[in-house]
Structures are given as structure tokens and as C-alpha cells.
């Protein structure tokens, strides 16, 4: 049975995990940096021939950057990215630097960094990052354009879903309800498991004063319940009943959304919960 040396890569990574669990982030960072510094001595082409070591370097580098950001040691994290860039995949270090800039509130610097990346090597991840940076800077039209470019480069339903969810969030911030719902509906087509978030969309419509639109959206959604797998129908049915009754209360109050509570009494919720359990779909 092989013996694990106390300063081997695996032992240093395991020990770093222990320090994180114990709340000693500086010691965890020190361990991770030891791994990074040692593996960085190898040439990039050497690591290409030894994928296990390359994965170890990436894991240690990524974890160290994350912990440094937790400690708000952003300058050290950015320096580590720059010094390790030659051993990472193209654009990875710069994308992480931009994310660190966003974390420390330097939004315009992050935008400038990502704009440079979007020219020579445009790809899905870069456009997604740039869209987020534009949204943080409240440059919403540019954020929409970037999410649309990412959507055009999506290589899977999962990526297309993420781009549409990004568009949904930006349109919500812009107050463009119609476009927000269009993006949400497309995300839902690509990933039906998002139906559990439909209640958040209805809640957003209600709080935005779009009660009629919330009612139409709810009624359209009810028609989709029957095409779900039978075992998946009870939760959407329950949510549709709860929000349907809340909407009725709002409509009965003359569309007064904000004065007073519009939630259901606990007894009524329990009744609907039991009904959803006993109901034959």
C-alpha cells in the first residue's frame, strides 16, 4: 500500500481542507500556495503530458484564489492569477481577474478587462462574464447584447438556459416585463426542471403591479401541469392553487397589492397541502 508523504500534493490539499473546516483560512491558503508554487516550476508542456498534475495545479490555484477573495486579499489573488496564467487554459486567468474586480467593486475595470477578451477570443463564457459585468454597471442594453451573443455561441441546452436566465434578470432590472417573460419561457422550455421557480416569477409580477399578467401567466401554466410526469404534478398544482387564491384576493381588493397582507391563512394552506397529497392527477 503506497505511503502518502506529509508534504505530497494530496496531503497538502487534504490538510488545506481541514484548515478551511476549522476556520483557519490563512493556513489553508499557505498549503494551497505551496502546491501552486511547486507545480508552477514545471513547464506548461510538461503539465500537458501529465494531466493529473495539471488538474492538481488547477484545483490548488482555483481554491487559493477563492479563499483569498473570502479574506478580501484581492491584490494577492489577482497577482496569483497573473503569475499562473501560462499554466491555465486561455482566458481563464483573465476571466478570474475580472471576477475579482467585480467582487471588490471595481466594475468598470472588470468591464474593460472582459471587453479586451471579447475581441480576440470570443466564446460563451467570456460573453456571459461580460454581460454580468455590464449588468452590474447598469449598462443594461450592452448586457442584453452580450447575453444574446453568448446565446449564439451556446453549445448545449444548459448553456442556452443560463443565457436566457441572464436575459431574464436584466430585463427585470430594466422593467421590461414582456421581454423578461419571453426569456423566462425560453429557459423553461430548455430546462423544464425550472418549473419550481415559477412561483418566484409570479411573485415578481405581483410585486411589480402586473396582476393581470400574473393571472394570465398562472392560467397558462396550469395547462402545462397535465403534461408533466404524474409524480411531478403535485407541487406545481399546489403552487398554482396558492397563488391563484392570492391573486383573487388582490383582484377583489381593487388590485391593491401593497396595503395589508395578501397571504393565505395557515389553515387554508394546510387544506391545499393535504388536497395536493390526496389528489389523483
Amino acid at each position: 500500500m503506497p505511503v502518502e508523504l506529509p508534504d505530497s500534493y494530496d496531503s497538502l490539499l487534504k490538510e488545506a481542507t481541514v484548515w478551511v473546516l476549522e476556520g483557519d483560512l490563512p493556513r489553508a491558503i499557505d498549503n494551497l500556495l505551496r502546491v501552486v508554487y511547486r507545480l508552477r516550476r514545471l513547464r506548461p508542456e510538461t503539465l500537458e503530458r501529465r494531466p493529473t498534475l495539471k488538474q492538481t495545479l488547477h484545483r490548488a490555484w482555483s481554491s487559493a484564489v477563492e479563499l483569498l477573495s473570502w479574506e478580501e486579499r484581492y491584490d494577492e489573488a489577482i497577482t496569483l492569477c497573473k503569475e499562473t496564467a501560462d499554466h491555465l487554459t486561455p482566458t481563464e486567468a483573465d476571466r478570474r481577474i475580472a471576477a475579482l474586480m467585480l467582487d471588490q467593486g471595481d466594475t468598470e475595470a472588470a468591464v474593460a478587462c472582459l471587453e479586451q477578451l471579447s475581441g480576440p477570443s470570443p466564446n460563451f463564457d467570456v460573453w456571459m462574464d461580460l454581460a454580468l459585468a455590464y449588468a452590474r454597471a447598469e449598462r443594461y442594453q450592452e448586457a442584453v447584447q452580450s447575453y444574446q451573443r453568448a446565446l449564439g455561441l451556446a453549445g448545449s441546452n444548459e448553456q442556452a438556459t443560463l443565457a436566457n436566465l441572464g436575459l431574464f434578470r436584466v430585463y427585470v432590472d430594466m422593467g421590461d416585463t414582456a421581454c423578461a417573460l419571453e426569456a423566462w419561457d425560453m429557459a423553461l422550455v430548455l430546462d423544464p426542471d425550472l418549473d419550481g421557480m415559477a412561483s418566484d416569477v409570479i411573485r415578481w409580477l405581483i410585486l411589480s403591479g402586473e396582476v393581470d399578467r400574473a393571472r394570465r401567466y398562472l392560467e397558462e401554466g396550469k395547462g402545462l401541469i397535465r403534461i408533466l410526469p404524474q409524480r411531478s404534478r403535485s407541487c406545481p398544482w399546489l403552487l398554482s392553487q396558492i397563488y391563484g387564491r392570492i391573486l383573487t384576493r388582490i383582484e377583489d381588493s381593487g388590485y391593491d397589492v401593497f396595503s395589508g397582507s395578501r397571504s393565505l391563512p395557515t389553515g387554508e394552506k394546510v387544506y391545499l397541502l393535504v388536497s395536493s397529497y390526496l389528489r389523483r392527477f
Side-chain angles (χ1 to χ4, degrees):
M1 184 175 181
V3 176
E4 189 175 273
L5 299 176
D7 61 347
S8 69
Y9 300 129
D10 284 343
S11 65
L12 289 171
L13 291 174
K14 289 177 182 176
E15 193 175 60
T17 302
V18 172
W19 293 132
V20 170
L21 293 175
E22 293 185 1
D24 194 339
L25 298 188
R27 294 183 75 172
I29 291 169
D30 288 343
N31 268 35
L32 294 168
L33 291 178
R34 286 175 63 189
V35 175
V36 173
Y37 294 154
R38 284 167 58 180
L39 286 174
R40 264 195 347 218
R41 295 174 192 165
L42 300 176
R43 298 182 183 217
E45 53 269 27
T46 301
L47 287 175
E48 288 297 329
R49 295 194 299 269
R50 304 185 66 180
T52 300
L53 289 182
K54 185 175 181 179
Q55 285 182 338
T56 300
L57 171 60
H58 189 278
R59 176 185 170 192
W61 164 77
S62 181
S63 300
V65 170
E66 188 70 19
L67 295 185
L68 286 168
S69 68
W70 288 1
E71 292 277 275
E72 298 185 357
R73 294 160 59 180
Y74 296 113
D75 290 341
E76 293 175 67
I78 290 172
T79 298
L80 182 62
C81 290
K82 292 178 178 178
E83 292 176 346
T84 314
D86 289 344
H87 293 74
L88 303 171
T89 56
T91 76
E92 187 170 15
D94 287 327
R95 287 180 54 226
R96 197 64 175 266
I97 289 170
L100 290 164
M101 291 173 174
L102 282 179
D103 288 344
Q104 63 181 336
D106 198 349
T107 307
E108 290 304 326
V111 166
C113 176
L114 291 165
E115 283 179 336
Q116 287 184 336
L117 292 180
S118 68
S121 56
N123 60 51
F124 175 83
D125 292 325
V126 170
W127 283 116
M128 288 290 290
D129 290 350
L130 182 55
L132 176 61
Y134 280 140
R136 291 273 187 92
E138 298 183 2
R139 294 164 61 175
Y140 295 125
Q141 288 298 340
E142 290 162 294
V144 167
Q145 292 170 4
S146 295
Y147 277 126
Q148 289 172 339
R149 285 179 178 264
L151 193 55
L153 294 169
S156 65
N157 281 356
E158 181 181 4
Q159 288 186 333
T161 299
L162 291 173
N164 276 293
L165 289 175
L167 283 168
F168 169 73
R169 286 191 292 269
V170 172
Y171 285 131
V172 167
D173 290 338
M174 294 172 67
D176 191 334
T177 305
C179 286
L181 286 176
E182 183 179 343
W184 167 257
D185 286 341
M186 183 55 66
L188 191 58
V189 168
L190 292 163
D191 185 1
D193 289 340
L194 290 174
D195 64 350
M197 295 172 57
S199 59
D200 295 329
V201 176
I202 295 172
R203 187 184 302 116
W204 158 65
L205 287 171
I206 292 172
L207 293 176
S208 300
E210 297 275 359
V211 177
D212 288 338
R213 199 186 291 266
R215 170 64 76 181
R216 290 197 302 272
Y217 192 79
L218 180 64
E219 295 304 320
E220 290 171 3
K222 284 181 179 179
L224 299 176
I225 293 176
R226 66 175 62 93
I227 69 174
L228 292 173
Q230 192 166 10
R231 66 180 181 278
S232 302
R233 296 177 188 175
S234 60
C235 183
W237 180 87
L238 175 61
L239 290 172
S240 72
Q241 293 298 309
I242 290 174
Y243 277 98
R245 295 185 183 211
I246 290 174
L247 284 169
T248 298
R249 285 169 177 252
I250 293 172
E251 291 159 349
D252 290 345
S253 70
Y255 293 82
D256 185 359
V257 175
F258 298 105
S259 65
S261 173
R262 294 290 177 259
S263 62
L264 299 184
T266 301
E268 193 169 351
K269 290 179 182 178
V270 171
Y271 167 77
L272 289 172
L273 180 61
V274 174
S275 297
S276 71
Y277 178 76
L278 297 176
R279 185 179 175 84
R280 292 178 178 272
F281 289 99

